[in-house]
Amino acid sequence: FPVTILYDVIIVDGPLTLGLLMVNILCAIDGVLVPFLPDAFSEAAIVNFQGVLEDVKDMEIVQAPQVLAYIPNLVDDRRKTTNNAMERFMDTLPIDLMVKPLKNKALLAKSQLEQKSVYAFKSKEFLELQEYFSVLSKRIWDKSEPITV
């Protein structure tokens, strides 16, 4: 009994390594969100990750998952190295898959602290954060195709 019958979307949070567990996860999913820090380490990690995706594709056992979005995380615009790294990412990654960096981390922390969804807050200050997560949700939903059994 496939679990995909029960759910429209299943989200799996995988490890930060590209070991066997991650390869197994990549073989079991249809799409992947790629969060990253804008730094040199992440640049190398994304190149390696893209190589693993190609390896999954080359195995021809399953269809390789589609990258749904690259998500810059913990972006500090005040740092020149961060801005330089973001420019390199914008030049090398598909622009249509890049999501703008999340700026208002304090409100996200507040929702986590109160153990509430960002959508549970009705104040205007949460609108940008709600729109941010709506964009991600839409990307997941638009790219996921219903599975027919």
Side-chain angles (χ1 to χ4, degrees), residues 55-89:
D55 291 344
V56 169
K57 182 179 177 182
D58 291 345
M59 286 189 290
E60 297 182 352
I61 297 171
V62 296
Q63 183 175 347
Q66 180 180 11
V67 174
L68 303 179
Y70 291 97
I71 307 167
N73 195 5
L74 301 176
V75 176
D76 184 356
D77 289 343
R78 299 170 295 179
R79 301 191 65 199
K80 186 175 180 178
T81 55
T82 298
N83 291 328
N84 291 341
M86 280 302 296
E87 286 177 18
R88 288 191 304 276
F89 279 112

PDB file of all heavy atoms in Angstrom, residues 55-89:
ATOM      1  N   ASP A  55      24.165  11.352 -10.762  1.00  0.00           N
ATOM      2  CA  ASP A  55      24.418   9.929 -10.519  1.00  0.00           C
ATOM      3  C   ASP A  55      23.109   9.153 -10.377  1.00  0.00           C
ATOM      4  O   ASP A  55      22.973   8.054 -10.911  1.00  0.00           O
ATOM      5  CB  ASP A  55      25.273   9.727  -9.262  1.00  0.00           C
ATOM      6  CG  ASP A  55      26.699  10.227  -9.432  1.00  0.00           C
ATOM      7  OD1 ASP A  55      27.133  10.452 -10.590  1.00  0.00           O
ATOM      8  OD2 ASP A  55      27.376  10.416  -8.400  1.00  0.00           O
ATOM      9  N   VAL A  56      22.148   9.728  -9.655  1.00  0.00           N
ATOM     10  CA  VAL A  56      20.836   9.080  -9.497  1.00  0.00           C
ATOM     11  C   VAL A  56      20.180   8.938 -10.860  1.00  0.00           C
ATOM     12  O   VAL A  56      19.619   7.886 -11.192  1.00  0.00           O
ATOM     13  CB  VAL A  56      19.936   9.881  -8.518  1.00  0.00           C
ATOM     14  CG1 VAL A  56      18.501   9.373  -8.547  1.00  0.00           C
ATOM     15  CG2 VAL A  56      20.502   9.810  -7.101  1.00  0.00           C
ATOM     16  N   LYS A  57      20.274   9.977 -11.669  1.00  0.00           N
ATOM     17  CA  LYS A  57      19.696   9.943 -13.019  1.00  0.00           C
ATOM     18  C   LYS A  57      20.387   8.871 -13.858  1.00  0.00           C
ATOM     19  O   LYS A  57      19.724   8.109 -14.572  1.00  0.00           O
ATOM     20  CB  LYS A  57      19.846  11.320 -13.662  1.00  0.00           C
ATOM     21  CG  LYS A  57      19.247  11.446 -15.030  1.00  0.00           C
ATOM     22  CD  LYS A  57      19.427  12.858 -15.558  1.00  0.00           C
ATOM     23  CE  LYS A  57      18.887  12.998 -16.962  1.00  0.00           C
ATOM     24  NZ  LYS A  57      19.110  14.352 -17.495  1.00  0.00           N
ATOM     25  N   ASP A  58      21.710   8.803 -13.782  1.00  0.00           N
ATOM     26  CA  ASP A  58      22.479   7.841 -14.580  1.00  0.00           C
ATOM     27  C   ASP A  58      22.218   6.398 -14.172  1.00  0.00           C
ATOM     28  O   ASP A  58      22.381   5.487 -14.988  1.00  0.00           O
ATOM     29  CB  ASP A  58      23.979   8.141 -14.480  1.00  0.00           C
ATOM     30  CG  ASP A  58      24.360   9.436 -15.176  1.00  0.00           C
ATOM     31  OD1 ASP A  58      23.543   9.957 -15.971  1.00  0.00           O
ATOM     32  OD2 ASP A  58      25.474   9.957 -14.905  1.00  0.00           O
ATOM     33  N   MET A  59      21.823   6.162 -12.917  1.00  0.00           N
ATOM     34  CA  MET A  59      21.535   4.790 -12.466  1.00  0.00           C
ATOM     35  C   MET A  59      20.341   4.210 -13.212  1.00  0.00           C
ATOM     36  O   MET A  59      20.226   3.003 -13.345  1.00  0.00           O
ATOM     37  CB  MET A  59      21.263   4.765 -10.955  1.00  0.00           C
ATOM     38  CG  MET A  59      22.490   4.944 -10.113  1.00  0.00           C
ATOM     39  SD  MET A  59      22.185   4.641  -8.356  1.00  0.00           S
ATOM     40  CE  MET A  59      21.189   6.043  -7.894  1.00  0.00           C
ATOM     41  N   GLU A  60      19.445   5.081 -13.680  1.00  0.00           N
ATOM     42  CA  GLU A  60      18.247   4.684 -14.423  1.00  0.00           C
ATOM     43  C   GLU A  60      17.376   3.683 -13.676  1.00  0.00           C
ATOM     44  O   GLU A  60      16.688   2.864 -14.281  1.00  0.00           O
ATOM     45  CB  GLU A  60      18.619   4.155 -15.803  1.00  0.00           C
ATOM     46  CG  GLU A  60      19.275   5.194 -16.687  1.00  0.00           C
ATOM     47  CD  GLU A  60      19.600   4.686 -18.071  1.00  0.00           C
ATOM     48  OE1 GLU A  60      19.467   3.463 -18.332  1.00  0.00           O
ATOM     49  OE2 GLU A  60      20.010   5.505 -18.901  1.00  0.00           O
ATOM     50  N   ILE A  61      17.414   3.727 -12.357  1.00  0.00           N
ATOM     51  CA  ILE A  61      16.550   2.877 -11.540  1.00  0.00           C
ATOM     52  C   ILE A  61      15.251   3.617 -11.266  1.00  0.00           C
ATOM     53  O   ILE A  61      14.168   3.041 -11.327  1.00  0.00           O
ATOM     54  CB  ILE A  61      17.248   2.500 -10.215  1.00  0.00           C
ATOM     55  CG1 ILE A  61      18.499   1.676 -10.511  1.00  0.00           C
ATOM     56  CG2 ILE A  61      16.293   1.744  -9.299  1.00  0.00           C
ATOM     57  CD1 ILE A  61      19.370   1.433  -9.306  1.00  0.00           C
ATOM     58  N   VAL A  62      15.384   4.903 -10.961  1.00  0.00           N
ATOM     59  CA  VAL A  62      14.236   5.769 -10.694  1.00  0.00           C
ATOM     60  C   VAL A  62      14.464   7.083 -11.423  1.00  0.00           C
ATOM     61  O   VAL A  62      15.574   7.386 -11.861  1.00  0.00           O
ATOM     62  CB  VAL A  62      14.049   6.046  -9.179  1.00  0.00           C
ATOM     63  CG1 VAL A  62      13.736   4.789  -8.410  1.00  0.00           C
ATOM     64  CG2 VAL A  62      15.262   6.750  -8.606  1.00  0.00           C
ATOM     65  N   GLN A  63      13.402   7.878 -11.508  1.00  0.00           N
ATOM     66  CA  GLN A  63      13.552   9.215 -12.072  1.00  0.00           C
ATOM     67  C   GLN A  63      14.189  10.114 -11.011  1.00  0.00           C
ATOM     68  O   GLN A  63      13.751  10.135  -9.861  1.00  0.00           O
ATOM     69  CB  GLN A  63      12.189   9.763 -12.466  1.00  0.00           C
ATOM     70  CG  GLN A  63      12.272  11.112 -13.131  1.00  0.00           C
ATOM     71  CD  GLN A  63      10.920  11.587 -13.615  1.00  0.00           C
ATOM     72  OE1 GLN A  63       9.968  10.829 -13.677  1.00  0.00           O
ATOM     73  NE2 GLN A  63      10.845  12.859 -13.957  1.00  0.00           N
ATOM     74  N   ALA A  64      15.226  10.824 -11.403  1.00  0.00           N
ATOM     75  CA  ALA A  64      15.905  11.728 -10.458  1.00  0.00           C
ATOM     76  C   ALA A  64      14.943  12.834 -10.042  1.00  0.00           C
ATOM     77  O   ALA A  64      14.148  13.304 -10.841  1.00  0.00           O
ATOM     78  CB  ALA A  64      17.152  12.314 -11.099  1.00  0.00           C
ATOM     79  N   PRO A  65      15.026  13.251  -8.783  1.00  0.00           N
ATOM     80  CA  PRO A  65      14.133  14.335  -8.335  1.00  0.00           C
ATOM     81  C   PRO A  65      14.474  15.654  -9.019  1.00  0.00           C
ATOM     82  O   PRO A  65      15.618  15.904  -9.401  1.00  0.00           O
ATOM     83  CB  PRO A  65      14.390  14.414  -6.831  1.00  0.00           C
ATOM     84  CG  PRO A  65      15.743  13.841  -6.645  1.00  0.00           C
ATOM     85  CD  PRO A  65      15.922  12.805  -7.722  1.00  0.00           C
ATOM     86  N   GLN A  66      13.468  16.479  -9.143  1.00  0.00           N
ATOM     87  CA  GLN A  66      13.617  17.792  -9.742  1.00  0.00           C
ATOM     88  C   GLN A  66      13.929  18.806  -8.641  1.00  0.00           C
ATOM     89  O   GLN A  66      13.302  18.778  -7.581  1.00  0.00           O
ATOM     90  CB  GLN A  66      12.311  18.143 -10.437  1.00  0.00           C
ATOM     91  CG  GLN A  66      12.301  19.474 -11.113  1.00  0.00           C
ATOM     92  CD  GLN A  66      10.957  19.742 -11.767  1.00  0.00           C
ATOM     93  OE1 GLN A  66       9.990  19.039 -11.562  1.00  0.00           O
ATOM     94  NE2 GLN A  66      10.913  20.799 -12.561  1.00  0.00           N
ATOM     95  N   VAL A  67      14.888  19.678  -8.869  1.00  0.00           N
ATOM     96  CA  VAL A  67      15.153  20.764  -7.924  1.00  0.00           C
ATOM     97  C   VAL A  67      14.012  21.768  -8.059  1.00  0.00           C
ATOM     98  O   VAL A  67      13.756  22.283  -9.145  1.00  0.00           O
ATOM     99  CB  VAL A  67      16.513  21.448  -8.186  1.00  0.00           C
ATOM    100  CG1 VAL A  67      16.685  22.651  -7.279  1.00  0.00           C
ATOM    101  CG2 VAL A  67      17.654  20.459  -7.976  1.00  0.00           C
ATOM    102  N   LEU A  68      13.288  21.989  -6.964  1.00  0.00           N
ATOM    103  CA  LEU A  68      12.156  22.907  -6.972  1.00  0.00           C
ATOM    104  C   LEU A  68      12.575  24.326  -6.638  1.00  0.00           C
ATOM    105  O   LEU A  68      11.976  25.281  -7.126  1.00  0.00           O
ATOM    106  CB  LEU A  68      11.097  22.445  -5.974  1.00  0.00           C
ATOM    107  CG  LEU A  68      10.553  21.023  -6.183  1.00  0.00           C
ATOM    108  CD1 LEU A  68       9.542  20.692  -5.107  1.00  0.00           C
ATOM    109  CD2 LEU A  68       9.959  20.883  -7.564  1.00  0.00           C
ATOM    110  N   ALA A  69      13.589  24.473  -5.788  1.00  0.00           N
ATOM    111  CA  ALA A  69      14.046  25.809  -5.408  1.00  0.00           C
ATOM    112  C   ALA A  69      15.389  25.727  -4.692  1.00  0.00           C
ATOM    113  O   ALA A  69      15.668  24.761  -3.981  1.00  0.00           O
ATOM    114  CB  ALA A  69      13.025  26.487  -4.498  1.00  0.00           C
ATOM    115  N   TYR A  70      16.188  26.748  -4.926  1.00  0.00           N
ATOM    116  CA  TYR A  70      17.397  26.987  -4.139  1.00  0.00           C
ATOM    117  C   TYR A  70      17.050  28.123  -3.180  1.00  0.00           C
ATOM    118  O   TYR A  70      16.581  29.181  -3.610  1.00  0.00           O
ATOM    119  CB  TYR A  70      18.575  27.390  -5.031  1.00  0.00           C
ATOM    120  CG  TYR A  70      19.061  26.261  -5.908  1.00  0.00           C
ATOM    121  CD1 TYR A  70      18.634  26.144  -7.227  1.00  0.00           C
ATOM    122  CD2 TYR A  70      19.941  25.311  -5.412  1.00  0.00           C
ATOM    123  CE1 TYR A  70      19.082  25.113  -8.039  1.00  0.00           C
ATOM    124  CE2 TYR A  70      20.392  24.271  -6.213  1.00  0.00           C
ATOM    125  CZ  TYR A  70      19.960  24.177  -7.527  1.00  0.00           C
ATOM    126  OH  TYR A  70      20.401  23.151  -8.317  1.00  0.00           O
ATOM    127  N   ILE A  71      17.259  27.893  -1.883  1.00  0.00           N
ATOM    128  CA  ILE A  71      16.795  28.830  -0.856  1.00  0.00           C
ATOM    129  C   ILE A  71      17.979  29.376  -0.066  1.00  0.00           C
ATOM    130  O   ILE A  71      18.545  28.680   0.782  1.00  0.00           O
ATOM    131  CB  ILE A  71      15.806  28.133   0.101  1.00  0.00           C
ATOM    132  CG1 ILE A  71      14.686  27.467  -0.691  1.00  0.00           C
ATOM    133  CG2 ILE A  71      15.271  29.124   1.122  1.00  0.00           C
ATOM    134  CD1 ILE A  71      13.841  26.510   0.128  1.00  0.00           C
ATOM    135  N   PRO A  72      18.386  30.629  -0.331  1.00  0.00           N
ATOM    136  CA  PRO A  72      19.462  31.218   0.472  1.00  0.00           C
ATOM    137  C   PRO A  72      18.998  31.407   1.916  1.00  0.00           C
ATOM    138  O   PRO A  72      17.893  31.859   2.167  1.00  0.00           O
ATOM    139  CB  PRO A  72      19.715  32.574  -0.184  1.00  0.00           C
ATOM    140  CG  PRO A  72      18.799  32.677  -1.342  1.00  0.00           C
ATOM    141  CD  PRO A  72      17.878  31.524  -1.345  1.00  0.00           C
ATOM    142  N   ASN A  73      19.832  31.010   2.840  1.00  0.00           N
ATOM    143  CA  ASN A  73      19.482  31.013   4.255  1.00  0.00           C
ATOM    144  C   ASN A  73      20.521  31.801   5.038  1.00  0.00           C
ATOM    145  O   ASN A  73      21.699  31.785   4.690  1.00  0.00           O
ATOM    146  CB  ASN A  73      19.420  29.562   4.738  1.00  0.00           C
ATOM    147  CG  ASN A  73      18.744  29.412   6.056  1.00  0.00           C
ATOM    148  OD1 ASN A  73      18.225  30.350   6.626  1.00  0.00           O
ATOM    149  ND2 ASN A  73      18.755  28.204   6.566  1.00  0.00           N
ATOM    150  N   LEU A  74      20.087  32.466   6.093  1.00  0.00           N
ATOM    151  CA  LEU A  74      20.974  33.238   6.962  1.00  0.00           C
ATOM    152  C   LEU A  74      21.800  34.251   6.178  1.00  0.00           C
ATOM    153  O   LEU A  74      23.017  34.362   6.346  1.00  0.00           O
ATOM    154  CB  LEU A  74      21.891  32.310   7.768  1.00  0.00           C
ATOM    155  CG  LEU A  74      21.181  31.296   8.675  1.00  0.00           C
ATOM    156  CD1 LEU A  74      22.193  30.379   9.333  1.00  0.00           C
ATOM    157  CD2 LEU A  74      20.347  32.002   9.728  1.00  0.00           C
ATOM    158  N   VAL A  75      21.135  34.988   5.308  1.00  0.00           N
ATOM    159  CA  VAL A  75      21.800  35.988   4.480  1.00  0.00           C
ATOM    160  C   VAL A  75      21.921  37.293   5.261  1.00  0.00           C
ATOM    161  O   VAL A  75      20.940  37.814   5.769  1.00  0.00           O
ATOM    162  CB  VAL A  75      21.018  36.223   3.167  1.00  0.00           C
ATOM    163  CG1 VAL A  75      21.647  37.330   2.363  1.00  0.00           C
ATOM    164  CG2 VAL A  75      20.942  34.930   2.366  1.00  0.00           C
ATOM    165  N   ASP A  76      23.140  37.796   5.342  1.00  0.00           N
ATOM    166  CA  ASP A  76      23.400  39.071   6.007  1.00  0.00           C
ATOM    167  C   ASP A  76      23.938  40.038   4.952  1.00  0.00           C
ATOM    168  O   ASP A  76      25.108  39.968   4.568  1.00  0.00           O
ATOM    169  CB  ASP A  76      24.412  38.879   7.138  1.00  0.00           C
ATOM    170  CG  ASP A  76      24.659  40.139   7.938  1.00  0.00           C
ATOM    171  OD1 ASP A  76      24.111  41.205   7.577  1.00  0.00           O
ATOM    172  OD2 ASP A  76      25.413  40.069   8.924  1.00  0.00           O
ATOM    173  N   ASP A  77      23.063  40.919   4.471  1.00  0.00           N
ATOM    174  CA  ASP A  77      23.426  41.853   3.399  1.00  0.00           C
ATOM    175  C   ASP A  77      24.535  42.825   3.784  1.00  0.00           C
ATOM    176  O   ASP A  77      25.113  43.472   2.918  1.00  0.00           O
ATOM    177  CB  ASP A  77      22.196  42.670   2.974  1.00  0.00           C
ATOM    178  CG  ASP A  77      21.199  41.845   2.220  1.00  0.00           C
ATOM    179  OD1 ASP A  77      21.562  40.757   1.745  1.00  0.00           O
ATOM    180  OD2 ASP A  77      20.040  42.288   2.103  1.00  0.00           O
ATOM    181  N   ARG A  78      24.824  42.937   5.067  1.00  0.00           N
ATOM    182  CA  ARG A  78      25.845  43.881   5.515  1.00  0.00           C
ATOM    183  C   ARG A  78      27.256  43.370   5.252  1.00  0.00           C
ATOM    184  O   ARG A  78      28.213  44.127   5.323  1.00  0.00           O
ATOM    185  CB  ARG A  78      25.670  44.176   7.002  1.00  0.00           C
ATOM    186  CG  ARG A  78      24.313  44.805   7.321  1.00  0.00           C
ATOM    187  CD  ARG A  78      24.076  44.870   8.792  1.00  0.00           C
ATOM    188  NE  ARG A  78      23.986  43.497   9.303  1.00  0.00           N
ATOM    189  CZ  ARG A  78      23.797  43.169  10.564  1.00  0.00           C
ATOM    190  NH1 ARG A  78      23.707  44.104  11.478  1.00  0.00           N
ATOM    191  NH2 ARG A  78      23.723  41.916  10.936  1.00  0.00           N
ATOM    192  N   ARG A  79      27.378  42.088   4.942  1.00  0.00           N
ATOM    193  CA  ARG A  79      28.709  41.498   4.738  1.00  0.00           C
ATOM    194  C   ARG A  79      29.035  41.426   3.252  1.00  0.00           C
ATOM    195  O   ARG A  79      28.257  40.894   2.460  1.00  0.00           O
ATOM    196  CB  ARG A  79      28.756  40.113   5.352  1.00  0.00           C
ATOM    197  CG  ARG A  79      28.445  40.147   6.855  1.00  0.00           C
ATOM    198  CD  ARG A  79      28.733  38.858   7.520  1.00  0.00           C
ATOM    199  NE  ARG A  79      30.168  38.633   7.430  1.00  0.00           N
ATOM    200  CZ  ARG A  79      30.728  37.443   7.584  1.00  0.00           C
ATOM    201  NH1 ARG A  79      29.996  36.399   7.849  1.00  0.00           N
ATOM    202  NH2 ARG A  79      32.026  37.303   7.495  1.00  0.00           N
ATOM    203  N   LYS A  80      30.196  41.932   2.892  1.00  0.00           N
ATOM    204  CA  LYS A  80      30.617  41.934   1.489  1.00  0.00           C
ATOM    205  C   LYS A  80      30.801  40.514   0.960  1.00  0.00           C
ATOM    206  O   LYS A  80      30.434  40.206  -0.170  1.00  0.00           O
ATOM    207  CB  LYS A  80      31.922  42.736   1.343  1.00  0.00           C
ATOM    208  CG  LYS A  80      32.368  42.912  -0.076  1.00  0.00           C
ATOM    209  CD  LYS A  80      33.588  43.800  -0.167  1.00  0.00           C
ATOM    210  CE  LYS A  80      33.986  43.946  -1.624  1.00  0.00           C
ATOM    211  NZ  LYS A  80      35.127  44.836  -1.787  1.00  0.00           N
ATOM    212  N   THR A  81      31.345  39.626   1.792  1.00  0.00           N
ATOM    213  CA  THR A  81      31.556  38.240   1.346  1.00  0.00           C
ATOM    214  C   THR A  81      30.223  37.560   1.041  1.00  0.00           C
ATOM    215  O   THR A  81      30.126  36.771   0.100  1.00  0.00           O
ATOM    216  CB  THR A  81      32.326  37.425   2.408  1.00  0.00           C
ATOM    217  OG1 THR A  81      31.633  37.502   3.654  1.00  0.00           O
ATOM    218  CG2 THR A  81      33.742  37.929   2.579  1.00  0.00           C
ATOM    219  N   THR A  82      29.200  37.870   1.818  1.00  0.00           N
ATOM    220  CA  THR A  82      27.873  37.302   1.572  1.00  0.00           C
ATOM    221  C   THR A  82      27.325  37.810   0.242  1.00  0.00           C
ATOM    222  O   THR A  82      26.808  37.027  -0.566  1.00  0.00           O
ATOM    223  CB  THR A  82      26.903  37.671   2.710  1.00  0.00           C
ATOM    224  OG1 THR A  82      27.392  37.114   3.932  1.00  0.00           O
ATOM    225  CG2 THR A  82      25.513  37.139   2.445  1.00  0.00           C
ATOM    226  N   ASN A  83      27.438  39.101   0.015  1.00  0.00           N
ATOM    227  CA  ASN A  83      26.940  39.677  -1.234  1.00  0.00           C
ATOM    228  C   ASN A  83      27.681  39.119  -2.443  1.00  0.00           C
ATOM    229  O   ASN A  83      27.067  38.824  -3.471  1.00  0.00           O
ATOM    230  CB  ASN A  83      27.033  41.202  -1.196  1.00  0.00           C
ATOM    231  CG  ASN A  83      26.055  41.805  -0.212  1.00  0.00           C
ATOM    232  OD1 ASN A  83      24.973  41.283   0.003  1.00  0.00           O
ATOM    233  ND2 ASN A  83      26.446  42.910   0.398  1.00  0.00           N
ATOM    234  N   ASN A  84      29.001  38.959  -2.313  1.00  0.00           N
ATOM    235  CA  ASN A  84      29.784  38.378  -3.410  1.00  0.00           C
ATOM    236  C   ASN A  84      29.363  36.940  -3.683  1.00  0.00           C
ATOM    237  O   ASN A  84      29.224  36.529  -4.841  1.00  0.00           O
ATOM    238  CB  ASN A  84      31.278  38.434  -3.098  1.00  0.00           C
ATOM    239  CG  ASN A  84      31.819  39.846  -3.096  1.00  0.00           C
ATOM    240  OD1 ASN A  84      31.202  40.759  -3.647  1.00  0.00           O
ATOM    241  ND2 ASN A  84      32.977  40.040  -2.480  1.00  0.00           N
ATOM    242  N   ALA A  85      29.161  36.172  -2.618  1.00  0.00           N
ATOM    243  CA  ALA A  85      28.731  34.785  -2.787  1.00  0.00           C
ATOM    244  C   ALA A  85      27.341  34.724  -3.423  1.00  0.00           C
ATOM    245  O   ALA A  85      27.090  33.898  -4.305  1.00  0.00           O
ATOM    246  CB  ALA A  85      28.735  34.056  -1.450  1.00  0.00           C
ATOM    247  N   MET A  86      26.427  35.599  -2.996  1.00  0.00           N
ATOM    248  CA  MET A  86      25.081  35.623  -3.591  1.00  0.00           C
ATOM    249  C   MET A  86      25.161  35.951  -5.081  1.00  0.00           C
ATOM    250  O   MET A  86      24.439  35.343  -5.890  1.00  0.00           O
ATOM    251  CB  MET A  86      24.183  36.630  -2.872  1.00  0.00           C
ATOM    252  CG  MET A  86      23.605  36.140  -1.571  1.00  0.00           C
ATOM    253  SD  MET A  86      22.605  34.634  -1.720  1.00  0.00           S
ATOM    254  CE  MET A  86      21.261  35.208  -2.752  1.00  0.00           C
ATOM    255  N   GLU A  87      26.040  36.856  -5.472  1.00  0.00           N
ATOM    256  CA  GLU A  87      26.204  37.176  -6.891  1.00  0.00           C
ATOM    257  C   GLU A  87      26.680  35.957  -7.668  1.00  0.00           C
ATOM    258  O   GLU A  87      26.201  35.690  -8.772  1.00  0.00           O
ATOM    259  CB  GLU A  87      27.185  38.337  -7.063  1.00  0.00           C
ATOM    260  CG  GLU A  87      26.610  39.679  -6.667  1.00  0.00           C
ATOM    261  CD  GLU A  87      27.623  40.807  -6.786  1.00  0.00           C
ATOM    262  OE1 GLU A  87      28.656  40.642  -7.479  1.00  0.00           O
ATOM    263  OE2 GLU A  87      27.387  41.868  -6.182  1.00  0.00           O
ATOM    264  N   ARG A  88      27.626  35.197  -7.090  1.00  0.00           N
ATOM    265  CA  ARG A  88      28.112  33.985  -7.766  1.00  0.00           C
ATOM    266  C   ARG A  88      26.997  32.948  -7.887  1.00  0.00           C
ATOM    267  O   ARG A  88      26.855  32.311  -8.934  1.00  0.00           O
ATOM    268  CB  ARG A  88      29.319  33.404  -7.024  1.00  0.00           C
ATOM    269  CG  ARG A  88      30.590  34.230  -7.189  1.00  0.00           C
ATOM    270  CD  ARG A  88      31.822  33.505  -6.685  1.00  0.00           C
ATOM    271  NE  ARG A  88      31.743  33.082  -5.301  1.00  0.00           N
ATOM    272  CZ  ARG A  88      32.026  33.864  -4.248  1.00  0.00           C
ATOM    273  NH1 ARG A  88      32.409  35.107  -4.448  1.00  0.00           N
ATOM    274  NH2 ARG A  88      31.942  33.396  -3.021  1.00  0.00           N
ATOM    275  N   PHE A  89      26.199  32.795  -6.835  1.00  0.00           N
ATOM    276  CA  PHE A  89      25.072  31.852  -6.905  1.00  0.00           C
ATOM    277  C   PHE A  89      24.078  32.287  -7.975  1.00  0.00           C
ATOM    278  O   PHE A  89      23.553  31.463  -8.721  1.00  0.00           O
ATOM    279  CB  PHE A  89      24.362  31.719  -5.552  1.00  0.00           C
ATOM    280  CG  PHE A  89      25.046  30.784  -4.606  1.00  0.00           C
ATOM    281  CD1 PHE A  89      25.661  31.268  -3.457  1.00  0.00           C
ATOM    282  CD2 PHE A  89      25.079  29.430  -4.841  1.00  0.00           C
ATOM    283  CE1 PHE A  89      26.288  30.411  -2.576  1.00  0.00           C
ATOM    284  CE2 PHE A  89      25.705  28.549  -3.970  1.00  0.00           C
ATOM    285  CZ  PHE A  89      26.316  29.046  -2.833  1.00  0.00           C
TER     286      PHE A  89
END
